[in-house]
Amino acid sequence: MNMILTEESATKMDDILKSASVNDPIVEITYKDNVERYEYMAIFDQLEELELGNKLNDCVFHVFPKGFSFVQNGGFIGLYNEKKEQQEREKRQDQLTQSQIKAAKREPYLITWSVITTISTLVLAWLQFIKG
């Protein structure tokens, strides 16, 4: 399912599917204004494209059994939350990778510093041994 999904659109799509029942699969929407009307027309088109129902006209939608099953199994909110979680995992993975890159860049300096301190310690120990 390749579609742009916001939390608001996911909620509206789920609400349409949830407001229908097996006994009454028809959902009728009343619009406040033309903006809302066009928004729901686009939602109806998406639901129809996904074969979850059929748009009967600008304000009436017929939900198919597949639509009932889909919303009962998490619906669009479930998909939205999954996608959000996946994006957060990818972000954390990217942060980890960046940290590892920074650590790898510091590693040569740490190795050099370890070699210098080891040599200094050996020289001081040798000088102590010669004195004593």
Side-chain angles (χ1 to χ4, degrees):
M1 225 177 287
N2 271 342
M3 58 190 287
I4 298 171
L5 195 61
T6 64
E7 187 172 11
E8 181 184 358
S9 65
T11 301
K12 287 181 180 181
M13 293 168 93
D14 280 352
D15 287 346
I16 289 170
L17 297 175
K18 287 177 184 175
S19 61
S21 68
V22 176
N23 296 331
D24 185 15
I26 305 298
V27 177
E28 189 168 347
I29 304 290
T30 306
Y31 306 118
K32 297 183 290 197
D33 54 29
N34 276 338
V35 172
E36 190 176 63
R37 178 174 165 249
Y38 296 134
E39 182 181 3
Y40 274 96
M41 287 171 59
I43 288 172
F44 286 174
D45 288 341
Q46 287 179 326
L47 291 171
E48 196 170 45
E49 190 177 307
L50 295 168
E51 299 176 354
L52 299 176
N54 184 31
K55 176 174 67 169
L56 301 178
N57 62 38
D58 289 356
C59 60
V60 180
F61 191 80
H62 175 232
V63 178
F64 294 158
K66 183 179 175 182
F68 298 126
S69 175
F70 178 77
V71 80
Q72 288 172 348
N73 290 310
F76 291 100
I77 284 293
L79 290 176
Y80 172 80
N81 289 335
E82 268 181 41
K83 187 173 183 173
K84 190 175 170 183
E85 220 173 86
Q86 176 66 25
Q87 289 171 337
E88 287 178 16
R89 272 195 300 273
E90 289 171 1
K91 183 179 176 183
R92 286 191 302 270
Q93 183 63 42
D94 185 51
Q95 289 171 341
L96 175 63
T97 302
Q98 294 301 321
S99 296
Q100 290 171 336
I101 289 169
K102 287 178 185 176
K105 287 180 180 178
R106 284 191 305 262
E107 195 170 300
Y109 299 112
L110 294 174
I111 292 171
T112 303
W113 181 251
S114 296
V115 169
I116 291 170
T117 56
T118 302
I119 291 172
S120 300
T121 303
L122 290 173
V123 168
L124 289 172
W126 184 72
L127 289 173
Q128 192 73 22
F129 178 74
I130 289 177
K131 266 184 161 183

